Amino acid sequence: MAFELAYSFCFLLLLLQRPFYTFAQPPMNISLGSSLIAQDSNSFWASPSGDFAFGFRKIGDNGGFLLAIWFDKIPEKTIVWSANGNNLVAKGSTVQLTEDGQFLLSDIATRRQVWIASSSGTGVSHAAMLDNGNFVLANGNSINSWESFDNPTDTILPAQTLHQRSILFAPYTQTNYSKGRFQFTLQSDGNAVLYTTYFPLDTPNSAYWSTLTQGSGFQVVFNLSGFIYVTARDGSMLYMISPSTVSTKDYYQRATLEYDGVFRHYIYPKSSTSSSVKRAWSALSLTPLNICTVILEGTGGGACGFNSLCRNDDGGPSCHCPYGYTYVDPNDVLKGCKQNFISQRCDDAALETDLFYLQEMLNTDWAYSANYEYFQPVTEDWCRQTCLGDCFCGIAFYKNQTCWKKSIPLSNGRIDPSVDWKALIKIRIDNSTSRQAGQDSTKKSSSASIVHGLVFMVIGMLVVFLTLAVTFFVVRRNYFIKPKVSQLSPFIQGINLRCFTYMELKEATNGFMEELGRGAFGTVFKGVLASDNGKFVAVKRLDTMFREGDHPEFKAEVSGIGRTNHRNLVQLLGFCDEGHHRILVYEFMSNGSLNSFLFGERSRLHWYLRRQIALGIARGLLYLHEDCSSQIIHCDIKPENILLDDSFTVRIADFGLAKLLKADQTQTITAIRGTKGYVAPEWLTSLPVTVKVDVYSFGILLLEIICCRKNFEEAKNEKEMVLADWAFNCYDQRKLHLLLENDDEAKDNIKEMAKYVTIALWCIQQDPSLRPTMKDVTHILEGTVEISIPVLKPSS
Ligand SMILES: *[C@@H]1O[C@H](CO)[C@@H](O)[C@H](O)[C@H]1NC(C)=O
Ligand SMILES: *[C@@H]1O[C@H](CO)[C@@H](O)[C@H](O)[C@H]1NC(C)=O
Ligand SMILES: *[C@@H]1O[C@H](CO)[C@@H](O)[C@H](O)[C@H]1NC(C)=O
Ligand SMILES: *[C@@H]1O[C@H](CO)[C@@H](O)[C@H](O)[C@H]1NC(C)=O
Ligand SMILES: *[C@@H]1O[C@H](CO)[C@@H](O)[C@H](O)[C@H]1NC(C)=O
């Protein structure tokens, strides 16, 4: 009785001293000879209050068992300490407090001892799971010969102290408790430091955060009010790592160095009645605040691994692969990213230049990745060309006439809004759309590779779109593969045009099911050629009446179109001329037409890309007007007829058809040809139609490309409704910035933009003879020739 009273009295004293134990019961002793067996349930020792438990936890569905301490009263059963993260044990293994006081874990599968509590055995009388989360081996004098608090893994708890030379290791992943890539240590010099490690070794690599308390730091304390700080030897606070806003009475607390290298201080409401919010761990603080920018390793990949990009949000970092790259291991994103294409050959890089393009990424940085080459002053075009022609170049950076080149692998990558240079990452153009060698007549021109190097940045929607397109491709392709072997159809002599049967095309389009677009001459459908490895095609069915006897003219016109060959024109692959069916088969363009990019449906194209698109259209038109065997006037230049392949190269569609229909449609050609808004004024008069009608349409289209708006928008105020008039006003009053509502990128390039507006206004002069030729336009856009522009008049 007396003993019991005394005990209670002592315990009361203890209570007064340590508020955390207010409701705690005396620890339940685990006596010598006790053991636990790893099994699916109930193999643990709980603390008296039940807050914590010590025992086995099963990791993964068919994984092994982890000897651990966890929060037992919450459904997450969050683990705060573990013994064998690197070495899970099989079901049936035991942890045992031996009669002679040794505490050890052995694996039944290997019959090996995988863990032992150091210095156990020396006078140990019992063990106990305490209510603060500390598991202790005590001797008779209640002095602990071993504590989990002195041997932390990745977490510290209130009442726990880190001594000098203590190290917390981040786990490998959220579900793999073996040692990961980061550590937090209170060094023997008193500085508390976060390090990356030379994974898989434990040795520290580069420090990314520290308390700068070397010389004075003594302990890292997590006190019972929930504050985490570095103290001096006399107990005074030197550095506050994380203050607390809530009490440890109402909230569970822990601070964990997580797999992503962030040391987070978490709280969890103990009772659900205290608030209506869902009970869960929430982070009070993150250390460091932005890991993406503080990790700068000379060796190693950085916060997210090689070639990867780290983005910091409220919850901490996330890792992302750049365009053209995928995770090395999707289950372990910190492993970095790999190219999902075959890299450029070095022995014959010049030939492969055409097979790559540069994709633009803004706000991205790969800090500390050495620049192996540097150029200044150069243009962006020059910078792009030099990277495309260099097999070592994985990425180029451009800013203010300066060009840097870096090679693969890239390290310390991050997404950072304060970065104001352009990153141009080199990616192989998908094989399926790369053009065959020799097909491209302009290939040898000096400027061709600039266009080959078209770079784009289309975020969000487009990525989704491409993914869908690929998925669709795969699905359709599988659907269409038939065991049928089609005999090679005859070709028109001299040119590479295939003659299809109507049945073949009906099958390819699944009975003319999926409509891609509808124009003056007919409807375009998507098709898949089973006879050509499931290649995608655009199948245009001409609606216009043909007589049975028209075959020779049709063939002549088709071979005219077939003979055109330019990288900015959609290539005609074949045709069908059977009975009254007249069908043309073209290459399929994965990115569809320009209008969806200009007028809001998809994210706005970058200014650089819009410039390249304008140049591509000009070059395509120049070819039609001057360079092909017989001049072709397009007659219907508009965004819907400007297609983009998957490297965003311009491909003009729907040309050469005006002539095809002229024979029996002379009277109505003006009515069916041309589109309101893009039609030159001379259509409506008796003036002859010349190539200058295309120049006019090009001018209108160029204004749309510059301003990313339609040539006529009713919703605007009267002054701005007609783009051509509004542009002329702005030009006349030298207020061109008014044309660019919130296009900062174009505003940054206002001088260049002014040049483009001037060209556009020149192209839409009322009098056809005052308009430039496409050759003039191309020269000015290329910047190769100085051409003086005449005084411009308003277009109407
Ligand atoms: C636990 O063991 C110690 C030492 O053997 C003893 O003094 C103490 O009374 C025991 N406590 C309980 C609750 O059994
Ligand atoms: C955890 O990761 C390590 C390091 O990659 C690996 O060796 C180990 O097999 C993983 N453990 C589990 C349970 O997946
Ligand atoms: C914990 O530390 C904070 C800050 O130093 C202090 O205000 C608080 O009183 C401490 N609480 C306890 C229980 O020591
Ligand atoms: C661009 O570079 C030039 C020369 O190096 C320098 O004088 C100029 O200030 C830079 N401009 C900007 C905007 O950084
Ligand atoms: C792309 O081309 C390369 C080289 O010609 C080839 O090895 C690779 O398999 C092709 N990839 C695809 C997806 O067709």
Side-chain angles (χ1 to χ4, degrees):
M1 189 65 187
F3 172 79
E4 270 182 351
L5 267 178
Y7 182 89
S8 307
F9 181 69
C10 287
F11 194 70
L12 260 177
L13 276 181
L14 203 73
L15 287 187
L16 293 176
Q17 256 182 333
R18 309 181 80 176
F20 188 69
Y21 289 122
T22 310
F23 306 107
Q25 292 121 33
M28 286 178 281
N29 284 350
I30 297 154
S31 52
L32 298 180
S34 303
S35 64
L36 285 175
I37 297 177
Q39 57 199 28
D40 292 337
S41 59
N42 288 333
S43 65
F44 60 84
W45 294 310
S47 73
S49 66
D51 282 339
F52 288 94
F54 177 98
F56 287 104
R57 290 211 66 82
K58 196 176 174 195
I59 303 299
D61 285 340
N62 39 13
F65 285 80
L66 183 69
L67 184 63
I69 299 171
W70 62 91
F71 283 97
D72 200 43
K73 275 191 178 164
I74 61 172
E76 291 86 348
K77 309 279 181 204
T78 310
I79 290 172
V80 298
W81 177 89
S82 62
N84 59 326
N86 284 333
N87 231 333
L88 299 183
V89 293
K91 187 172 177 175
S93 299
T94 51
V95 63
Q96 193 177 11
L97 182 60
T98 59
E99 293 293 348
D100 60 357
Q102 305 244 22
F103 194 49
L104 46 89
L105 169 67
S106 29
D107 187 0
I108 192 167
T110 59
R111 295 172 187 286
R112 290 244 174 85
Q113 175 186 312
V114 297
W115 177 79
I116 181 164
S118 54
S119 76
S120 60
T122 46
V124 170
S125 62
H126 66 284
M129 177 73 247
L130 306 184
D131 274 336
N132 58 3
N134 195 8
F135 187 86
V136 299
L137 298 182
N139 65 24
N141 310 320
S142 286
I143 294 167
N144 298 332
S145 58
W146 184 90
E147 305 186 10
S148 63
F149 270 15
D150 286 338
N151 298 274
T153 48
D154 60 353
T155 297
I156 55 173
L157 295 168
Q160 189 167 357
T161 300
L162 284 184
H163 307 286
Q164 288 180 356
R165 295 190 187 83
S166 301
I167 303 178
L168 302 184
F169 278 98
Y172 186 64
T173 66
Q174 269 166 315
T175 49
N176 181 330
Y177 293 86
S178 77
K179 278 181 190 168
R181 302 168 170 97
F182 305 92
Q183 59 172 256
F184 176 74
T185 169
L186 180 61
Q187 297 179 158
S188 51
D189 67 358
N191 197 12
V193 190
L194 282 165
Y195 282 106
T196 62
T197 62
Y198 290 113
F199 186 83
L201 307 184
D202 293 349
T203 31
N205 176 1
S206 125
Y208 56 96
W209 178 89
S210 87
T211 56
L212 295 175
T213 48
Q214 54 269 51
S216 48
F218 177 61
Q219 288 181 329
V220 173
V221 171
F222 195 161
N223 81 9
L224 288 170
S225 310
F227 290 69
I228 305 169
Y229 50 91
V230 179
T231 63
R233 196 167 284 273
D234 64 5
S236 61
M237 190 192 76
L238 289 175
Y239 186 99
M240 179 60 72
I241 297 172
S242 178
S244 180
T245 49
V246 298
S247 101
T248 48
K249 223 187 271 164
D250 303 327
Y251 287 85
Y252 293 120
Q253 300 206 17
R254 69 184 165 101
T256 304
L257 177 61
E258 296 197 300
Y259 77 100
D260 59 8
V262 179
F263 184 66
R264 290 179 179 82
H265 180 181
Y266 281 107
I267 57 170
Y268 194 113
K270 283 188 180 173
S271 91
S272 48
T273 51
S274 63
S275 75
S276 58
V277 291
K278 187 178 168 287
R279 290 174 72 208
W281 289 110
S282 58
L284 270 189
S285 73
L286 279 72
T287 307
L289 265 179
N290 184 349
I291 195 171
C292 301
T293 53
V294 295
I295 293 192
L296 284 172
E297 303 184 313
T299 57
C304 278
F306 288 111
N307 299 329
S308 186
L309 286 164
C310 181
R311 193 181 72 207
N312 199 62
D313 302 310
D314 287 349
S318 54
C319 299
H320 307 265
C321 291
Y323 291 98
Y325 287 70
T326 48
Y327 292 125
V328 172
D329 177 358
N331 299 317
D332 180 14
V333 297
L334 265 52
K335 256 192 181 150
C337 306
K338 62 176 198 280
Q339 294 180 333
N340 63 6
F341 53 88
I342 299 157
S343 41
Q344 191 170 8
R345 285 171 48 174
C346 280
D347 48 354
D348 214 353
L351 266 183
E352 284 213 336
T353 303
D354 282 359
L355 302 182
F356 288 82
Y357 66 95
L358 294 172
Q359 169 128 20
E360 184 170 326
M361 294 184 297
L362 293 179
N363 302 333
T364 47
D365 187 15
W366 271 280
Y368 266 48
S369 280
N371 301 310
Y372 71 89
E373 274 190 315
Y374 169 88
F375 306 95
Q376 214 263 339
V378 292
T379 62
E380 183 174 339
D381 287 347
W382 194 93
C383 184
R384 286 167 181 260
Q385 257 181 296
T386 186
C387 181
L388 282 171
D390 173 2
C391 67
F392 298 128
C393 181
I395 190 165
F397 292 86
Y398 183 80
K399 185 195 174 183
N400 186 21
Q401 306 200 345
T402 307
C403 177
W404 300 265
K405 289 199 283 184
K406 291 183 198 284
S407 57
I408 304 299
L410 303 160
S411 55
N412 302 302
R414 62 215 192 192
I415 295 169
D416 179 355
S418 70
V419 163
D420 59 352
W421 50 75
K422 273 183 198 178
L424 304 166
I425 193 159
K426 185 158 70 182
I427 302 172
R428 183 182 282 268
I429 297 168
D430 189 334
N431 299 6
S432 60
T433 53
S434 60
R435 286 165 289 289
Q436 295 149 14
Q439 209 180 0
D440 189 340
S441 60
T442 63
K443 189 179 258 169
K444 279 157 206 83
S445 82
S446 62
S447 46
S449 53
I450 304 174
V451 182
H452 276 284
L454 264 195
V455 170
F456 58 92
M457 158 122 177
V458 179
I459 46 172
M461 289 283 295
L462 180 58
V463 173
V464 171
F465 173 81
L466 287 176
T467 315
L468 287 177
V470 168
T471 314
F472 181 82
F473 174 88
V474 171
V475 170
R476 281 293 284 248
R477 183 180 168 148
N478 291 342
Y479 182 73
F480 271 98
I481 286 175
K482 295 200 173 134
K484 171 189 151 190
V485 181
S486 105
Q487 68 279 35
L488 275 183
S489 310
F491 288 81
I492 292 188
Q493 260 207 328
I495 47 171
N496 221 9
L497 275 189
R498 197 169 144 191
C499 183
F500 292 91
T501 66
Y502 181 72
M503 274 318 291
E504 237 177 316
L505 293 179
K506 195 172 167 191
E507 221 167 278
T509 54
N510 201 8
F512 300 98
M513 274 278 281
E514 191 188 344
E515 196 175 308
L516 292 172
R518 201 178 272 265
F521 300 122
T523 312
V524 185
F525 300 91
K526 189 168 181 176
V528 188
L529 293 183
S531 57
D532 199 353
N533 294 324
K535 178 179 181 162
F536 275 133
V537 288
V539 176
K540 179 165 192 132
R541 197 169 60 182
L542 303 176
D543 307 325
T544 338
M545 287 304 146
F546 285 89
R547 292 186 306 261
E548 286 286 326
D550 286 341
H551 294 286
E553 289 108 78
F554 181 78
K555 272 221 169 71
E557 292 307 330
V558 163
S559 50
I561 299 171
R563 256 187 284 270
T564 60
N565 197 335
H566 188 269
R567 71 184 315 275
N568 295 118
L569 301 180
V570 174
Q571 186 71 39
L572 183 67
L573 302 174
F575 63 94
C576 164
D577 180 27
E578 209 178 276
H580 62 279
H581 298 298
R582 301 288 190 282
I583 301 175
L584 301 174
V585 179
Y586 292 99
E587 299 172 280
F588 175 75
M589 292 296 136
S590 56
N591 270 317
S593 61
L594 184 56
N595 54 320
S596 63
F597 290 100
L598 288 183
F599 309 135
E601 285 168 50
R602 306 198 207 161
S603 48
R604 176 159 60 207
L605 299 172
H606 281 284
W607 171 248
Y608 182 87
L609 182 53
R610 286 176 6 235
R611 269 177 51 194
Q612 296 297 311
I613 287 171
L615 182 58
I617 302 169
R619 284 181 175 149
L621 279 176
L622 171 61
Y623 173 84
L624 289 177
H625 291 175
E626 298 189 19
D627 294 338
C628 61
S629 49
S630 61
Q631 184 181 66
I632 294 176
I633 306 178
H634 189 291
C635 293
D636 200 11
I637 286 295
K638 57 179 175 181
E640 289 80 355
N641 281 335
I642 306 302
L643 306 184
L644 298 169
D645 72 12
D646 57 5
S647 61
F648 280 71
T649 303
V650 161
R651 314 295 294 277
I652 300 174
D654 230 13
F655 56 88
L657 297 176
K659 228 169 156 193
L660 182 64
L661 298 181
K662 217 166 177 178
D664 49 344
Q665 303 277 335
T666 330
Q667 297 312 308
T668 52
I669 181 147
T670 50
I672 59 159
R673 208 48 189 163
T675 303
K676 196 163 165 280
Y678 303 90
V679 181
E682 60 266 29
W683 275 122
L684 311 170
T685 68
S686 53
L687 284 174
V689 166
T690 67
V691 289
K692 294 295 181 74
V693 301
D694 284 348
V695 175
Y696 182 94
S697 307
F698 174 80
I700 297 289
L701 176 57
L702 183 55
L703 285 178
E704 294 182 327
I705 292 172
I706 297 165
C707 305
C708 290
R709 60 156 280 195
K710 289 200 169 103
N711 63 67
F712 180 78
E713 283 186 6
E714 213 156 13
K716 301 255 185 222
N717 66 43
E718 206 182 317
K719 214 168 55 177
E720 301 178 18
M721 219 181 266
V722 178
L723 179 59
D725 297 347
W726 170 231
F728 188 84
N729 274 343
C730 295
Y731 170 80
D732 208 31
Q733 296 168 16
R734 296 176 198 286
K735 289 182 177 164
L736 284 178
H737 60 278
L738 295 178
L739 286 171
L740 306 168
E741 275 162 18
N742 36 33
D743 186 353
D744 292 338
E745 211 190 348
K747 280 181 188 156
D748 287 347
N749 291 289
I750 193 91
K751 255 172 89 180
E752 202 174 50
M753 178 261 186
K755 179 170 111 177
Y756 280 60
V757 174
T758 312
I759 297 167
L761 293 174
W762 189 13
C763 289
I764 59 173
Q765 292 293 292
Q766 187 87 13
D767 179 351
S769 67
L770 293 180
R771 295 172 206 153
T773 62
M774 284 320 293
K775 188 173 234 149
D776 296 331
V777 171
T778 311
H779 282 330
I780 303 173
L781 291 179
E782 283 173 347
T784 48
V785 180
E786 283 292 324
I787 294 179
S788 62
I789 296 173
V791 177
L792 301 176
K793 297 184 207 141
S795 62
S796 54

